[in-house]
Structures are given as C-alpha cells and as structure tokens.
Amino acid sequence: MTQRKGEKPTISIQEHMAIDVCPGPIQPIKQISDYFPRYPRGLPPAAPHLVGHIGPLRTALSAPSAAPSAPAAAAESEGPNEDNPERACAGASASLQAVRRDEEPDVEGYDSDDSTTLGTLEFSLLYDQENNALHCTINKAKLPVPRYKKGLKPMDHNGLSDPYVKLHLLPGASKANKLRTKTLHNTLNPFWNETLTYYGITDEDMVRKTLRISVCDEDKFRHNEFIGETRIPLKKLKPNQVKNFNNCLEKQLPVNKTEDKSLEERGRIMISLKYNTQKSCLIVGIIRCAHLAAMDANGFSDPYVKTYLKPDENKKSKHKTAVKKKTLNPEFNEEFCYDIKYADLTKKTLEITVWDYDIGKSNDFIGGVSLGINANGERLKHWFDCLKNKDKKIERWHTLTNELPGSLND
C-alpha cells in the first residue's frame, strides 16, 4: 500500500479492531497469576497455604529449566517476564491440582464397593448333628443411610428402614424352606437376637446345600425392598460347633432355575420305628414334616400322612393322621401299631405318603417314601436298624420323593 506525501495514514476496520482487541502482548491467565505468582527461583518464604506442596512445586519449577538447551537457558536469564516461568507455574498448578484430587475424593462421583455400601450382618450358625437341626441366630445388622444414587436403592422417606431377615436353603423350593425374623421399625442398626431353626438337615445336606440370608425393608403399601444378601455353604460348618459371622451384604445374585428344578424336593418327614417284642407288633411313629411343597394358592398346604404296610391282602393296614391346616412344617406326633411277627418284617415294605387336604376336590399328593428290604440308602439303613435293635425306638429324617407308589391312591 502506497501513501502520498502529506496524506494522513488510513487504518482499515480490521486493523482497528485488531488493535483494540490486542493492545499488547498476551497476558497470563488471571487465575494462574493470582494463585501462582511468578517466582522463577522458588517459592517466597511467606506462603503458608503452599507449605505442604513445596516438593511438587519445586519439581515442577525446576523441570523446565533443566531440559532446555543453552540458548533457551540464556533467554531465561534475561528477565523474569519470559514465557518459561509462566509454563513452570502452569505445570506447578497441574501438579498441585492432582495432589489435591488425591487428598479430597469427589463425594458425588464416588462409587464405593457394594460390600460396604449395602451394610453388614452379624449372625452365627450351629449344626446339631444328633437332632438333624440347623440353628441360625441373627444378631444385628448395620445398614447404610439411604441415598438416591446409582447402585443404592432408597429405603423409607424418613431416612430409616423397617428391616427383617429371611433365610432360604439352596437348592430347593423357596416357599417350602423360607424362614424369617420379626420386623424392626425405623432403624438402621437393628438388633434381633433371634434364632431360626431348620429341622431335618442331614449330613448330605451339609455337603451340597447353601444357606442364603437376605435383609429386606418391609413396606406396607408397596413391595418390600431388597437391601442385601450373603450366602454360606453349609460345608464350612463343623458338627456341633458354633461359627460366628460378620459378613458384608452383597447384591442379589440370580438363582439357577434349571438347577433348582432338577434338584427340587417335596419336603422331609421324621419317622420312628420300633418293634415291640412283648406285643409282637411294629410301632410306626409319624413325628413331623419339614419344608413341604406348597400346594394351595395361599402358599401353604393342609397336610396329613398315610401309612401302609404291604403286601396286605386284607387292606387293613392303612392308617391316617389328622390334618394340619395351613402349614408347611406340621407336627403330628402320632403312632400306629401293626400286629406282625418279627420274622415277617423282612418280607414287608412300609410306604408313607404325605397329602394336601382339599375340600370339594381330590387331595393333592405332596411326596412319599418307602422303607423296607427293597429300599436303599438311609431308608434301608433305618429298616435294618429297627430289626437289629428290638424294643428300641429309632428315629430318622427322610426326603420325600414326588413319585406316587403304584399300589396307593387317595
């Protein structure tokens, strides 16, 4: 662009805006210059809020000055207003922010492990081998404060819970072997000190079964809220020894439906056998049942037991207990007497079946078991023990099968 002599220089609008916008050299960012004044040779003595971070800052300040070549070092020595000190301060700010992030965790973005956020549960287990019973004592729990964030379900609006504990034996039908404690209201630190007992637990169960303990929040107007659970393989327990636990609660684990179906049980029954030599009769006792399958729509059954000693040509050996209403763990404590010679017992089979009583329709078969010379396992052993020990009552738990004996119908 040429300019005539005596003519005033003209400036374009683009150049004018550039001058107004950029009147001088680029200044350091205000936030950095405020918090990190330019001290290229180190920190000033009066900086108490940075005393704890002198080490990282000195490293950040000294690192840029050691890396450059000789020309860059000479340029740095010309004055403190060059770019290198500013870069050193910027690096120092990044180091300081990283240290502060490590020391002060972000509460909102913090996702701790579920084992700590869902709470803890203290309980103890005892396997009574002689009585075939598993005692579970629920002591206390420590539940988390409800928080509306990912990974935690809110409990009650008042910030508390109405917790209770329920037990299941896996694998198996959940309704048949479910036990639960009482509900404690408006607390995050419940103390139950309540003992729940499973009857009919055999040594085989202790090897292959797992106890599932769940903590839930009761809600009268909606579905109960799941809080957390823990699972204990029963093989960890030693007979007749109390084992204490203080476990962290975990998220609900899926149940293998296929495994449960293949290993589904119909329940247990406790039977006593005794041969009375004075009266020459076999006394069969129906003591109790446990964990029976639910046959009614209300989740229960109305069970009764039938006994039959076969072969029986006269059809006179059938006996039946009373009906127990709305229960899956009935207690009968009834005995039946069969007049029979001791030598004939080796030719007999005792069939015991459990039924659900229904009004106006046929009764439902729950399960059955056969004892005798043709049986096997615990059923055969029970029969032999009765024959060997005359005038002695022998009690055993037996697992009910879903096979109805062909000679029996209700």
Side-chain angles (χ1 to χ4, degrees), residues 322-337:
V323 177
K324 301 297 180 180
K325 294 289 186 178
K326 198 178 179 181
T327 179
L328 300 178
N329 299 278
E331 293 188 22
F332 298 99
N333 294 316
E334 297 186 32
E335 290 184 343
F336 306 107
C337 185

Side-chain angles (χ1 to χ4, degrees), residues 17-32:
M17 293 300 297
I19 292 173
D20 288 343
V21 172
C22 304
I26 298 176
Q27 298 295 326
I29 299 175
K30 183 179 180 181
Q31 292 177 341
I32 294 179

Side-chain angles (χ1 to χ4, degrees), residues 47 150 199 266 299 395:
K150 183 180 73 172
Y199 295 99
R266 310 295 290 180
E395 296 180 353

Side-chain angles (χ1 to χ4, degrees), residues 99-120:
V99 173
R100 286 179 174 175
R101 280 197 299 268
D102 293 339
E103 293 181 352
E104 301 175 6
D106 184 7
V107 177
E108 292 299 325
Y110 179 70
D111 287 332
S112 61
D113 187 28
D114 290 332
S115 62
T116 59
T117 59
L118 297 182
T120 59

Side-chain angles (χ1 to χ4, degrees), residues 28 38 70 78 91 98 124 185 188 288 303 312 365 377 379:
R38 285 173 282 179
E78 290 178 1
S124 63
H185 297 282
L188 293 178
R288 66 188 304 167
D312 182 20
F365 174 72
R379 294 168 293 176

Side-chain angles (χ1 to χ4, degrees), residues 379-390:
R379 294 168 293 176
L380 178 61
K381 187 176 183 299
H382 192 185
W383 190 258
F384 275 143
D385 289 344
C386 174
L387 298 180
K388 292 179 182 178
N389 302 276
K390 300 177 184 178

Side-chain angles (χ1 to χ4, degrees), residues 19 49 102 244 304 339 397:
I19 292 173
H49 62 285
D102 293 339
N244 298 313
Y304 68 95
D339 295 327
W397 280 96

Side-chain angles (χ1 to χ4, degrees), residues 292-351:
L292 295 179
M295 308 302 293
D296 297 338
N298 59 5
F300 294 96
S301 295
D302 301 320
Y304 68 95
V305 180
K306 295 177 64 176
T307 65
Y308 179 46
L309 189 64
K310 70 172 191 177
D312 182 20
E313 297 178 358
N314 299 325
K315 307 289 183 181
K316 294 182 179 180
S317 65
K318 288 185 179 180
H319 295 281
K320 183 166 57 175
T321 68
V323 177
K324 301 297 180 180
K325 294 289 186 178
K326 198 178 179 181
T327 179
L328 300 178
N329 299 278
E331 293 188 22
F332 298 99
N333 294 316
E334 297 186 32
E335 290 184 343
F336 306 107
C337 185
Y338 292 97
D339 295 327
I340 185 174
K341 295 180 180 180
Y342 178 78
D344 293 338
L345 286 177
T346 56
K347 305 174 184 178
K348 296 290 185 177
T349 298
L350 178 65
E351 290 187 347

